[in-house]
Amino acid sequence: MKAKNSKDIPYKVIRSRRATADIIIERDGRVLVRAPESIPDERIEDIVEAKRYWIYKNLAEWRDLNATRVLREYRNGEGFLYLGRSYRLLLVADQSEPLLLKNGRFCLRRDLVDEGAIEAAKVAFREYYIARGHERITQRVNYYAPKVGVIQGDIHVRELGNRWASCSPNGNLSFHWKCMMAPQTIIDYIVVHELCHFHHLDHTNAFWNEVDKVLPNHRERKEWLRKNGAGLDV
Ligand SMILES: [Zn+2]
């Protein structure tokens, strides 16, 4: 993967054994060109040039969505999301666990933010979502896999970069820990979406038909995620 530049549009090129090139805007706003191995660099420049309007339009849309991104502060009263609901933060002195959700509050051990360094607090939240996520998402996958008609492998909840979920050829599933900040209905959509990739790896009509069989209102949920996804962060 290397950085390229077509005049003022910075983009990255990933070459692979694919037949045609396409352009995608990643969740972090980067422009990515996925191209066949054989295609020359100049041809990629041409493709980006030809799609200039589309790229600008989509980048503008991406900036709109990300303008809503929340910068959270780790102090008393700040809201943190869990399953679509916001819970206020309470810094506590004595607590064996770094972070607990108790009596409608996220109780965070004060020493994790005392030095003004919030990395330890972020880690505590991430680990909380991963632990709870593994339990809940496993339960949702077990519920939906028979409905989709597939057999899943191992389930992991972890840092997944720009993706909400991914599946491997042997049926193992990974989910981003940020899923646990979204409402249950959205988690279900992410689960069903990923399970349907066992039938179809791409996003063709055949794929969406499979999703539709299990979740007829998936479009609203997909739209919710598109609009609110950037706000799901700690
Ligand atoms: Zn997908």
Side-chain angles (χ1 to χ4, degrees):
M1 196 156 141
K2 48 185 177 172
K4 288 274 178 174
N5 222 316
S6 166
K7 312 252 167 42
D8 55 336
I9 304 175
Y11 62 92
K12 282 196 159 71
V13 178
I14 293 181
R15 290 174 188 274
S16 62
R17 276 190 290 162
R18 50 185 293 137
T20 56
D22 66 9
I23 301 174
I24 55 173
I25 311 286
E26 292 198 297
R27 281 213 0 246
D28 60 3
R30 284 184 307 173
V31 179
L32 194 67
V33 182
R34 300 185 297 184
E37 268 155 5
S38 57
I39 194 170
D41 283 358
E42 309 84 73
R43 179 76 192 104
I44 292 177
E45 287 275 319
D46 290 346
I47 293 166
V48 172
E49 267 308 308
K51 290 278 181 191
R52 172 178 287 266
Y53 173 75
W54 181 91
I55 294 170
Y56 278 133
K57 186 171 152 287
N58 280 274
L59 279 177
E61 194 171 271
W62 179 84
R63 276 188 288 267
D64 280 355
L65 293 173
N66 282 271
T68 61
R69 189 183 281 264
V70 201
L71 182 64
R72 289 180 213 285
E73 289 189 281
Y74 289 79
R75 61 179 186 201
N76 283 324
E78 178 71 282
F80 284 83
L81 294 167
Y82 182 67
L83 297 176
R85 281 188 58 192
S86 182
Y87 295 91
R88 288 182 191 282
L89 189 68
L90 182 66
L91 298 175
V92 294
D94 270 326
Q95 189 170 272
S96 55
E97 307 275 322
L99 180 71
L100 286 174
L101 185 53
K102 206 167 67 181
N103 305 325
R105 297 275 172 143
F106 262 124
C107 303
L108 179 70
R109 227 169 53 206
R110 185 180 292 277
D111 62 295
L112 297 176
V113 289
D114 265 353
E115 309 292 293
I118 56 168
E119 199 41 48
K122 282 181 184 284
V123 169
F125 268 95
R126 246 174 267 157
E127 284 177 355
Y128 184 88
Y129 293 127
I130 287 170
R132 296 306 182 286
H134 191 263
E135 208 173 304
R136 181 170 290 255
I137 293 173
T138 298
Q139 185 231 320
R140 301 317 286 166
V141 171
N142 290 340
Y143 175 76
Y144 280 113
K147 293 182 189 294
V148 177
V150 297
I151 296 165
Q152 78 281 15
D154 297 338
I155 297 160
H156 305 279
V157 179
R158 57 188 180 93
E159 175 61 50
L160 213 52
N162 296 324
R163 288 168 304 168
W164 292 108
S166 70
C167 57
S168 71
N170 51 5
N172 294 341
L173 291 160
S174 292
F175 294 89
H176 203 301
W177 55 266
K178 290 178 183 176
C179 291
M180 287 303 285
M181 302 180 86
Q184 171 84 51
T185 54
I186 304 302
I187 296 175
D188 285 354
Y189 162 68
I190 296 169
V191 165
V192 170
H193 180 124
E194 217 50 40
L195 288 172
C196 286
H197 275 316
F198 286 30
H199 292 306
H200 304 279
L201 278 173
D202 43 24
H203 296 112
T204 52
N205 286 341
F207 166 81
W208 289 112
N209 282 342
E210 291 295 333
V211 179
D212 200 60
K213 282 185 209 163
V214 181
L215 292 179
N217 56 358
H218 61 89
R219 278 178 202 85
E220 293 156 34
R221 303 189 195 195
K222 183 172 182 247
E223 184 60 12
W224 187 97
L225 198 56
R226 197 182 71 83
K227 279 197 184 133
N228 301 286
L232 305 180
D233 206 350
V234 293

